[in-house]
Amino acid sequence: MNKKYIITIIILLVIAVISFLTFNKTPKVIIPIEEVSPRNDTVSEITKKGRKSYSLAEVALHDKKEDCWIAIEGKVINPTQFIAEGKHPNDFILKGCGKDATSMFQGVGKHDGGKAQAALKQYEIGMLK
């Protein structure tokens, strides 16, 4: 092979590698974006720990499939996105929208598992007053 041809190939490879490394960088820090509830017309207060506190009356305003808040074990959960994405296997969750659904939740054995507990934590928006 011609010496110029080999040098040209090496230079092109070096340029390709440098371009790949320069333009294919992923962000090192991913900042999670908090989901804002569909309805923000309720009055709430921030607790000493920085978490919002909601009354059962405020939770009751969010009683629809498209805007669902549920109180479970003293925590307020906004599973609206969870429901919209079809992550729950049935519509039984809708019976808890706008209510304290602690007994409903605890009455389902598989809710004791890590998957259900992780979902509660993921969609928690505050504490029940």
Side-chain angles (χ1 to χ4, degrees), residues 12 17 60-61 77 96 106 114 126:
L12 288 174
V17 169
L61 296 173
I77 314 299
Q106 291 174 343

Side-chain angles (χ1 to χ4, degrees), residues 55-76:
S55 68
L56 199 51
E58 290 173 298
V59 173
L61 296 173
H62 305 272
D63 61 349
K64 296 168 187 56
K65 181 177 183 175
E66 302 79 22
D67 179 22
C68 176
W69 288 11
I70 300 174
I72 298 175
E73 299 172 349
K75 297 173 185 164
V76 178

Side-chain angles (χ1 to χ4, degrees), residues 51-102:
R51 293 168 47 177
K52 287 189 177 185
S53 178
Y54 300 95
S55 68
L56 199 51
E58 290 173 298
V59 173
L61 296 173
H62 305 272
D63 61 349
K64 296 168 187 56
K65 181 177 183 175
E66 302 79 22
D67 179 22
C68 176
W69 288 11
I70 300 174
I72 298 175
E73 299 172 349
K75 297 173 185 164
V76 178
I77 314 299
N78 180 352
T80 305
Q81 181 182 1
F82 182 80
I83 294 167
E85 292 174 356
K87 292 182 179 178
H88 197 270
N90 56 48
D91 285 344
F92 190 70
I93 189 172
L94 299 178
K95 292 182 180 185
C97 293
K99 301 175 186 167
D100 185 337
T102 300

Side-chain angles (χ1 to χ4, degrees), residues 2-119:
N2 188 349
K3 190 175 184 180
K4 287 182 183 179
Y5 182 70
I6 293 173
I7 292 173
T8 303
I9 291 174
I10 292 172
I11 290 173
L12 288 174
L13 284 173
V14 169
I15 290 172
V17 169
I18 291 172
S19 296
F20 178 77
L21 294 175
T22 302
F23 298 112
N24 196 24
K25 290 187 177 180
T26 56
K28 295 187 187 307
V29 178
I30 298 173
I31 300 171
I33 298 173
E34 289 187 30
E35 183 178 327
V36 177
S37 65
R39 269 172 69 177
N40 259 350
D41 58 346
T42 59
V43 179
S44 61
E45 64 184 45
I46 298 180
T47 63
K48 293 178 184 176
K49 294 181 179 180
R51 293 168 47 177
K52 287 189 177 185
S53 178
Y54 300 95
S55 68
L56 199 51
E58 290 173 298
V59 173
L61 296 173
H62 305 272
D63 61 349
K64 296 168 187 56
K65 181 177 183 175
E66 302 79 22
D67 179 22
C68 176
W69 288 11
I70 300 174
I72 298 175
E73 299 172 349
K75 297 173 185 164
V76 178
I77 314 299
N78 180 352
T80 305
Q81 181 182 1
F82 182 80
I83 294 167
E85 292 174 356
K87 292 182 179 178
H88 197 270
N90 56 48
D91 285 344
F92 190 70
I93 189 172
L94 299 178
K95 292 182 180 185
C97 293
K99 301 175 186 167
D100 185 337
T102 300
S103 60
M104 284 175 42
F105 183 81
Q106 291 174 343
V108 178
K110 65 182 177 181
H111 286 163
D112 291 335
K115 194 173 182 181
Q117 296 302 318

